[in-house]
């Protein structure tokens, strides 16, 4: 089977988010980059599906030249090849992102045959639009199940378990299908050293789509005001325990 | 202006985020009209809570006997066109975002998910699970948005809305995309999302065994056990215990975070906690800036000492 998975490069912010002077981006000079944990599980699932059923897994990103790092990471854990839609680093809104991904999938399917499954994160880590996977499914005319915590291929269908209040809702989709997944779907493997070396030689196809004028146009980012708290230190080490018990009593969680 | 609010319900019980979405819709409508829409497999559904709306439209179809996201979206699109809606507003829940994304895809219009405020075409929406806000301008004839839960206080409606059933025309694709089965959550212990007290461990717990004192304290407090992503990645705890942006969102009376540094993605999951107690070896850990209380020290000493003090207080 052929499985294609879409990932987005995002900064790994630590304890606080610092913005650039124009407040249009996160200051990333001192930060590493990664992809959403949801997408990490998507990559792992794609690799497992191909290990079990044969075929090919492809990882795709739309992002700056540096996003090749995230494609190589995905190939290090087993994705076979990559498609890089290279941008100048400007933000693309969800609609434009979806359109570019759809065009790339159509071209790739034209050359290499249909994808049985296209995998997305339930939401991107940074923008959190909750929509790219659904838009791409509509454009390709394929069914889509979202927020999946389990996925089982059974012949011509895929059984999808969607996280829902008090349990999981089950869908059964025919192939070809689109899914969006969540962290917890699996426990992604760590890349091995040979895996990383192999990834350096795997092919990355690049193209440079034109960025349309965004219809959801970010004007600026704002770090929400914290309550400006500084914790009251109740004590140090084991000696603080009686004071902790007092506090638990005061707030009514300890009878 | 004509606003259409999509409400989620279970047998007529409209959920809180949907009532919040209807409230935002009525704020936006000003002198205009607010309509609400629900999907149901029976026209005789009785709403338990009144939304802020002049009319409640009930899309009636057998397929709505179980959740069918695309069918709901097609019903909304049909109704929005008939009403000439200038905006469609839904709750920023998993299902609300899913349904509105289908609506946006059907109409090929932008969707602003998880908004906390709206003024004309300008929205403020949540990014990074709430750690960052985005101000944006939406270029669209019909403003599609979802409302971040708890960003707006729900104001109940007067309960005098007319109820207007309609039968939507649905595509084969919509009829096929529906829930066919349900797997119940495994019961056992206190549910993380609803717990009054949560005791969590991070990388500072050191190992799977390092959670024994946390389990013990949680047991004494009737608390749920949580953890950070560092812990799930290490395989010490299952992902169902993870608190954070890509884990569970919690809202306890007190969150006791042991050996957790306080990364923004972790804190995104405990913004709903009334109070936070951080137990950390490092006085400079970022979590001390969002915590109410802190104990500085080795969690392997502090946590058992707290359990012992609770026992002593109980027997004394
Ligand atoms: C898109 C994205 C989504 C994410 N989603 C989540 C999420 O949902 N949930 C989540 O938790 N993380 C999430 N993360 C990861 C997050 O960024 C952090 O990496 C993670 O929360 C760190 O876990 P930690 O605090 O346990 O570990 P660390 O950051 O390593 O902190 C360990 C802390 O323990 C303290 N400590 C060490 N030993 C002791 C001791 N003996 N006694 C007391 N204190 C001690 C240290 O001082 C330190 O403060 C996400 C990351 C990304 C990029
Ligand atoms: N720039 C991008 N490149 C590749 N995939 C993306 C990109 N943006 C979003 N996606 C995919 O779409 C999912 C949902 O994104 P969003 O709709 O922004 O929440 C993400 O988890 C990714 O799988």
């Amino acid at each position: 089977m052929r499985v294609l998975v879409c990932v987005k490069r995002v900064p790994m912010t630590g304890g606080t988010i610092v913005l650039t002077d124009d407040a249009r981006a996160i200051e990333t000079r001192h930060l590493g980059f990664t992809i959403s944990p949801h997408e990490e599980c998507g990559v792992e699932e794609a690799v497992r599906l191909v290990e079990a059923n044969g075929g090919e897994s492809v990882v795709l990103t739309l992002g700056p030249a540096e996003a090749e790092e995230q494609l190589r990471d995905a190939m290090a854990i087993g994705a076979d090849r990559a498609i890089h839609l290279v941008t100048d680093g400007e933000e693309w809104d969800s609609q434009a992102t979806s359109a570019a991904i759809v065009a790339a999938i159509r071209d790739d399917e034209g050359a290499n045959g249909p994808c049985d499954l296209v995998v997305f994160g339930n939401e991107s880590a940074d923008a959190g639009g909750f929509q790219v996977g659904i838009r791409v499914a509509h454009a390709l005319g394929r069914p889509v199940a979202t927020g999946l915590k389990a996925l089982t291929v059974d012949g011509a269908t895929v059984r999808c378990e969607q996280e829902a209040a008090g349990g999981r809702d089950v869908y059964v989709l025919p192939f070809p299908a689109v899914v969006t997944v969540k962290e917890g779907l699996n426990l992604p493997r760590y890349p091995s050293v040979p895996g990383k070396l192999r990834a350096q030689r795997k092919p990355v196809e690049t193209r440079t789509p034109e960025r349309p004028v965004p219809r959801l146009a970010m004007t600026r980012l704002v770090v929400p005001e914290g309550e400006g708290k500084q914790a009251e230190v109740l004590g140090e080490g084991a000696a603080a325990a009686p004071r902790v018990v007092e506090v638990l009593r005061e707030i009514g969680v300890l009878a | 202006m004509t606003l259409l609010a999509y409400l989620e319900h279970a047998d007529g019980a409209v959920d809180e985020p949907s009532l919040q979405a209807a409230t935002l819709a009525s704020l936006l409508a000003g002198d205009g009209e607010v309509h609400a829409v629900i999907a149901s497999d029976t026209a005789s559904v009785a709403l338990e809570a009144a939304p802020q709306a002049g009319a409640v439209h009930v899309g009636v179809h057998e397929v709505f006997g179980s959740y069918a996201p695309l069918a709901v979206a097609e019903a909304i699109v049909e109704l929005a066109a008939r009403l000439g809606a200038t905006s469609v507003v839904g709750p920023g829940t998993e299902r609300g975002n899913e349904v509105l994304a289908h609506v946006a895809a059907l109409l090929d219009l932008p969707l602003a998910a998880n908004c906390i405020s709206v003024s004309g075409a300008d929205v403020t929406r949540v990014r990074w699970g709430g750690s960052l806000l985005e101000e944006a301008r939406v270029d669209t004839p019909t403003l599609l948005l979802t409302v971040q839960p708890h960003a707006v206080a729900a104001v109940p409606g007067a309960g005098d809305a007319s109820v207007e059933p309609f039968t939507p025309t649905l595509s084969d694709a919509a009829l096929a995309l529906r829930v066919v089965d349900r797997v119940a959550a495994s019961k056992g212990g206190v549910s993380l999302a609803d717990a009054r007290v949560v005791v969590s461990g991070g990388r500072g717990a050191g190992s799977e065994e390092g959670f024994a004192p946390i389990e013990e304290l949680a047991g004494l407090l009737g608390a749920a056990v949580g953890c950070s992503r560092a812990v799930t990645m290490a395989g010490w705890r299952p992902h169902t215990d993870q608190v954070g942006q890509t884990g569970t969102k919690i809202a306890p009376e007190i969150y006791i975070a042991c050996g957790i540094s306080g990364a923004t993605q972790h804190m995104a999951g405990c913004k709903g906690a009334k109070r936070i107690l951080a137990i950390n070896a490092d006085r400079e850990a970022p979590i001390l800036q969002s915590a109410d209380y802190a104990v500085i020290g080795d969690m392997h000493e502090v946590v058992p000492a707290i359990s012992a003090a609770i026992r002593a207080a109980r027997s004394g």
Side-chain angles (χ1 to χ4, degrees), chain A residues 165 168-169 219 234 236, chain B residues 95 135 182-183 229 283 294:
Chain A
R168 288 177 181 182
D169 285 334
T219 45
L234 300 178
E236 292 190 18
Chain B
R95 285 188 174 183
E135 296 176 355
R182 188 163 171 85
V183 184
R229 182 166 188 252
R283 210 174 267 281

Side-chain angles (χ1 to χ4, degrees), chain A residues 5-9 36 38-39 60-63 85 87 92-94 97-98 101 119-136 180-181, chain B residues 125:
Chain A
V5 51
C6 294
V7 303
K8 182 178 188 184
R9 172 182 168 93
S36 162
H38 297 328
E39 295 156 22
L60 180 154
T61 196
L62 171 101
L85 310 179
T87 70
W92 284 50
D93 73 356
S94 301
T97 301
S98 307
I101 291 175
V119 182
F120 293 87
N122 187 65
E123 82 272 7
S124 54
D126 58 346
F130 291 85
Q131 55 192 270
V132 169
I134 293 173
R135 286 185 192 275
V136 170
T180 84
V181 302
Chain B
R125 56 179 300 274

Side-chain angles (χ1 to χ4, degrees), chain A residues 56-218:
Chain A
E56 179 193 44
S57 57
V58 185
V59 57
L60 180 154
T61 196
L62 171 101
E66 294 80 3
E68 185 181 332
E69 179 191 354
Q70 280 61 47
L71 296 174
R72 297 278 173 212
D73 287 349
M75 291 189 289
I77 73 155
D80 296 305
R81 63 183 173 91
I83 301 173
H84 188 173
L85 310 179
V86 185
T87 70
D88 61 3
E90 274 284 312
E91 273 255 329
W92 284 50
D93 73 356
S94 301
Q95 249 180 315
T97 301
S98 307
I101 291 175
V102 167
I105 291 176
R106 285 212 173 106
D107 282 357
D108 193 68
E109 290 191 334
N112 300 300
C115 286
D116 301 284
L117 201 60
V118 183
V119 182
F120 293 87
N122 187 65
E123 82 272 7
S124 54
D126 58 346
F130 291 85
Q131 55 192 270
V132 169
I134 293 173
R135 286 185 192 275
V136 170
H138 276 253
L140 296 174
R142 295 175 195 175
V144 54
T146 68
L148 304 190
K149 287 283 184 131
L151 181 164
T152 330
V153 172
D154 179 14
T157 60
V158 55
R159 180 187 150 95
C160 303
E161 294 185 18
Q162 178 182 52
E163 187 169 50
R168 288 177 181 182
D169 285 334
V170 179
Y171 301 77
V172 177
L173 306 185
F175 289 118
V178 176
V179 292
T180 84
V181 302
K182 280 192 176 176
E183 189 181 19
L185 177 72
N186 52 45
L187 189 59
R189 71 195 76 180
Y190 286 100
S192 64
V193 173
K196 285 185 185 169
L197 291 174
R198 268 197 302 278
Q200 292 308 320
R201 296 190 300 271
K202 289 181 179 174
V204 179
E205 181 195 330
T206 61
R207 47 171 73 212
T208 318
E210 190 86 26
R211 175 175 177 265
V213 175
R215 297 190 63 182
L216 181 78
M218 184 255 284

